[in-house]
Amino acid sequence: MGVHDTGIGATYDSMTGLLDRMTFFDDVNVCRDSGRQVHIIMVQLSRLMQINRKYGVAVGDQLIRDISMWLAELDEQYTGYRIANSRLMLLGPVCSRQEADACMIRIRERFGESWQVSCAGQTHSIMARACFVHMFLEEEDTENDLLDKMNFGISVMENRDGDRVVFFDEKIKREMEHRNHVLEEVRYAIEHKTFRMHYQPIYDCREEKFVAAESLIRLWDRNGEFISPSEFISMAEENGLIDQISWIVLEKVCRFLGEHPQLPLRTVSVNLTGQQVADATLLDRIDSLLDDCQLFGDKLRIEITERTVADDFEEVKQVMQCLEKRGVRFYLDDFGTGYSNLSSVLSLPFEVIKFDQSLVQMMGNSRSGYRTIELLTQIMHENGMVVVAEGIETVQQVQSARETGVDRIQGFYFVKPLPEEELEAFLLESKTPLQAAT
């Protein structure tokens, strides 16, 4: 007999006949409140849209019904539920971890076989894909806690190769708690503008000095622990917070430039997202910041990626032309990552093209790679653009970049990104940066 006690108050999913979301959480609450530990299995179906397009919605719906029926009949001790369009649940009695894994293996193995779906007189052989999260109910788990665990389990699988099953154990729980901590710190930093700015100087090969810098955001939590940009930026993107962060960066950089007019750099660049470039308020925001900071536009540079150009070429072109009139020019960041074609790049008024580190590494891999960088640099020069090589870390890379005609170099060979208070001192003290790596 399943966990659910059939009786008054139960409600059902109209398509599959399984118990629905409301009844699932009612049953979970009853188990938790009575001290009963249970095994929870989530089956998250995927590629349903593709199946609907290929076979039709009626076949897709029948597939969900067939899968639901199979799960409901898998084990009489488990009760089946459908809590969302593509999310099916099983709720069973407490068992050992070994027993829980064995049940999960049976389900996963079934999804390794095709489903014979009969609809409108035809039978279709369909491979249904799914990912699976299972766990034991903890006494403190609320409805939101369970949903968070399910969703986090799915996100863990997205970073794995092959295995589509996650058991929510203590290790996964700690990972989720850390993730929640980082997200909370990001939100706090947005509200209180506690992000810190670092700057990585960019060296001009012909003038033999640093002439520009790229602004880079950094975050320490309220306990003073450093949080990697690769971690908090990706989390901000996933949670729709990246634009708020980018606006804060733009403001901080403008204020820094306004407060340090003696800074021996011609320009400092800021990375903006595609959504910001398309934001109708962008021009007004920049005008306001330049006025507030008593800053000329020719000190500010904006970096955008090839993906931004590819997403909305005409909009990007119009914004670039408008800001160019204010003295603000554009860098194309991460050139070589493959999101746009060369003709699009050359038709936009970029001042600087930044070769991505992966492209720069081609120089040392082969003669053809070296020649590719040389030819690309020549093409950019013929179109009036300055070329920056990013990710330079060795003497050999410096020499190769100079030989291919690259104008400027950026990377750890010279210096790691510096906090605001160290930047000016470094620039004044750096006499022969090519003679010593930092």
Side-chain angles (χ1 to χ4, degrees):
M1 183 176 179
V3 169
H4 175 75
D5 294 325
T6 303
I8 299 174
T11 52
Y12 295 85
D13 174 60
S14 60
M15 190 178 83
T16 64
L18 296 180
L19 294 162
D20 64 9
R21 176 191 179 103
M22 182 180 298
T23 305
F24 170 75
F25 285 109
D26 284 346
D27 288 350
V28 168
N29 290 336
V30 169
C31 291
R32 185 192 61 239
D33 294 344
S34 62
R36 294 170 62 191
Q37 197 177 27
V38 291
H39 180 214
I40 301 173
I41 298 174
M42 182 195 77
V43 178
Q44 177 71 51
L45 303 175
S46 58
R47 298 181 65 240
L48 290 178
M49 288 184 63
Q50 292 92 323
I51 291 172
N52 287 342
R53 290 194 191 103
K54 184 174 182 179
Y55 299 100
V57 174
V59 174
D61 288 349
Q62 186 59 48
L63 173 64
I64 295 174
R65 282 191 284 268
D66 289 352
I67 293 173
S68 299
M69 183 177 298
W70 184 87
L71 288 171
E73 296 174 351
L74 175 69
D75 189 319
E76 63 179 9
Q77 296 189 83
Y78 283 78
T79 302
Y81 307 79
R82 186 184 185 220
I83 69 169
N85 180 55
S86 58
R87 187 167 291 188
L88 306 173
M89 308 296 299
L90 288 176
L91 199 59
V94 64
C95 57
S96 68
R97 171 65 190 276
Q98 185 177 7
E99 291 170 324
D101 287 342
C103 182
M104 193 69 260
I105 289 171
R106 287 176 63 192
I107 297 173
R108 181 177 60 181
E109 288 179 344
R110 176 63 186 87
F111 276 82
E113 304 169 1
S114 62
W115 300 81
Q116 303 305 310
V117 181
S118 297
C119 183
Q122 289 185 306
T123 299
H124 306 273
S125 181
I126 301 175
M127 292 298 297
R129 293 190 180 179
C131 53
F132 315 93
V133 179
H134 65 129
M135 68 193 80
F136 295 132
L137 178 68
E138 298 183 356
E139 59 181 84
E140 70 273 14
D141 281 338
T142 65
E143 178 176 335
N144 287 335
D145 291 333
L146 286 177
L147 289 172
D148 286 345
K149 287 182 175 182
M150 294 174 201
N151 293 332
F152 185 75
I154 293 173
S155 72
V156 168
M157 277 180 275
E158 290 173 351
N159 298 319
R160 287 185 176 180
D161 293 327
D163 193 5
R164 304 294 290 171
V165 178
V166 166
F167 178 76
F168 204 96
D169 56 13
E170 283 300 314
K171 179 183 177 182
I172 300 294
K173 183 178 180 180
R174 288 193 298 271
E175 289 179 13
M176 189 179 79
E177 289 172 347
H178 174 70
R179 179 185 178 89
N180 289 341
H181 167 72
V182 171
L183 183 57
E184 182 180 341
E185 291 301 317
V186 168
R187 286 178 170 143
Y188 178 88
I190 289 173
E191 181 179 356
H192 298 277
K193 297 184 179 181
T194 54
F195 292 104
R196 303 182 199 175
M197 298 310 304
H198 279 45
Y199 297 86
Q200 186 165 41
I202 300 173
Y203 184 80
D204 189 286
C205 297
R206 292 176 179 79
E207 297 186 40
E208 297 189 346
K209 66 179 181 179
F210 293 103
V211 297
E214 177 182 1
S215 62
L216 299 163
I217 191 169
R218 296 292 183 262
L219 176 62
W220 280 260
D221 68 14
R222 282 168 281 182
N223 297 319
E225 295 293 324
F226 178 71
I227 301 175
S228 167
S230 62
E231 184 174 17
F232 79 80
I233 289 177
S234 63
M235 195 169 298
E237 290 174 338
E238 292 170 12
N239 289 274
L241 302 173
I242 193 65
D243 283 347
Q244 295 180 58
I245 293 175
S246 296
W247 290 126
I248 292 172
V249 170
L250 181 61
E251 178 183 346
K252 283 181 174 288
V253 170
C254 285
R255 295 203 182 285
F256 173 68
L257 288 173
E259 292 167 1
H260 297 81
Q262 78 287 358
L263 194 70
L265 291 176
R266 293 177 194 149
T267 61
V268 173
S269 59
V270 178
N271 292 276
L272 292 189
T273 67
Q275 187 169 333
Q276 284 179 289
V277 173
D279 192 316
T281 68
L282 174 63
L283 300 179
D284 289 339
R285 283 188 186 231
I286 289 180
D287 283 340
S288 178
L289 280 172
L290 294 178
D291 289 342
D292 289 347
C293 301
Q294 298 182 332
L295 180 67
F296 292 111
D298 58 3
K299 271 280 193 181
L300 180 66
R301 294 295 181 265
I302 293 174
E303 296 196 24
I304 60 175
T305 64
E306 290 187 73
R307 183 192 293 271
T308 299
V309 173
D311 285 347
D312 198 338
F313 178 83
E314 291 301 328
E315 178 73 23
V316 169
K317 185 175 183 178
Q318 184 177 356
V319 170
M320 291 178 71
Q321 291 171 340
C322 289
L323 282 173
E324 192 173 19
K325 296 175 182 176
R326 294 161 169 80
V328 180
R329 303 292 300 278
F330 277 72
Y331 289 6
L332 180 65
D333 194 20
D334 297 337
F335 178 79
T337 52
Y339 287 103
S340 67
N341 58 57
L342 187 58
S343 62
S344 296
V345 171
L346 298 179
S347 63
L348 292 171
F350 284 108
E351 178 185 54
V352 170
I353 304 296
K354 301 183 78 173
F355 286 176
D356 182 72
Q357 184 175 8
S358 61
L359 190 62
V360 170
Q361 288 174 348
M362 292 173 58
M363 293 185 302
N365 293 340
S366 65
R367 178 60 188 171
S368 61
Y370 179 96
R371 182 59 178 156
T372 297
I373 299 300
E374 192 174 45
L375 289 174
L376 283 172
T377 300
Q378 183 179 345
I379 291 170
M380 300 306 174
H381 286 166
E382 290 174 354
N383 285 270
M385 298 172 182
V386 174
V387 176
V388 174
E390 293 187 287
I392 297 295
E393 298 179 352
T394 67
V395 173
Q396 290 77 13
Q397 288 178 330
V398 171
Q399 293 173 343
S400 295
R402 291 170 68 99
E403 290 169 2
T404 58
V406 165
D407 303 287
R408 299 176 185 174
I409 301 172
Q410 178 180 351
F412 284 7
Y413 172 79
F414 298 110
V415 64
K416 294 182 179 180
L418 297 168
E420 294 179 351
E421 59 272 16
E422 296 179 21
L423 176 64
E424 188 169 5
F426 170 81
L427 294 173
L428 294 174
E429 293 169 6
S430 296
K431 302 300 182 182
T432 55
L434 284 180
Q435 301 304 313
T438 299

